[in-house]
Amino acid sequence: EAGVTQSPTHLIKTRGQQVTLRCSPISGHTSVYWYQQALGLGLQFLLWYDEGEERNRGNFPPRFSGRQFPNYSSELNVNALELEDSALYLCASSASGHQETQYFGPGTRLLVL
Amino acid sequence: QKEVEQDPGPLSVPEGAIVSLNCTYSNSAFQYFMWYRQYSRKGPELLMYTYSSGNKEDGRFTAQVDKSSKYISLFIRDSQPSDSATYLCAMRKTGANNLFFGTGTRLTVIP
């Protein structure tokens, strides 16, 4: 069974630019979660999508947004990039109603210069 | 104060040792407790999941939850060099959906 996949694996952007990260969940999973893992800060919850709807968001500014497609894949968009957005962005998926068992992808490493 | 606290280590042990990894938390609403393992440059991998208090064993791994002390532990028996990774605790509150993570403990098992 294929795991959660993410693309791209690495990305370099400059301040003010915009970026789109992509995630495909495990087959059969309808929930997708996005986390930011900045150096020394641990994983911080960004967004949760389930059945195509945004269900919850963490304490991040509105320039962090996303969506979930009918096939349950998801995109994370970050506008007006700032230096502190440099981090590993992780996507996780779970079966609906099983938020405690989230399975993570390998992440996208974003560097903002 | 962070809701989940975890000693970042690093922790180095000889092969075969018993490893104890711990997290504390401040909010009694946490009911679901997880341990993830993260190898360098990889995403976290779910190791153990427990609900409420008690112990759960899976091979060389034992997860323990003490809700009265707001303290959770992961024990690794007969540690192997392949166990070298960062271990993250995570928790979820009843009725909530997002996980709260500790900052992770970096473990090295020396052959």
Side-chain angles (χ1 to χ4, degrees), chain A residues 10 33 35 37 40-43 45 48 55-56 88 90 99-106 109, chain B residues 2 32 34 36 38 41-46 49 88 92 96-104:
Chain A
H10 295 83
Y33 312 81
Y35 292 87
Q37 188 176 32
L41 290 181
L43 275 82
F45 168 71
W48 171 40
R55 303 295 183 179
N56 197 14
L88 180 67
L90 290 159
Q99 298 94 334
E100 63 280 358
T101 48
Q102 297 180 20
Y103 295 87
F104 284 81
R109 193 164 294 277
Chain B
K2 289 182 184 177
Y32 301 87
M34 284 70 67
Y36 284 83
Q38 187 173 22
R41 302 198 171 274
K42 301 281 188 183
E45 169 194 0
L46 180 64
Y49 151 60
L88 301 152
R92 182 170 80 89
N97 42 63
N98 55 303
L99 301 182
F100 290 79
F101 281 84
T103 50

Side-chain angles (χ1 to χ4, degrees), chain B residues 4-8 21-24 35 87-89 102-105:
Chain B
V4 181
E5 299 277 358
Q6 185 175 9
D7 186 340
L21 303 165
N22 311 294
C23 286
T24 59
W35 285 96
Y87 289 80
L88 301 152
C89 64
T103 50
T105 300

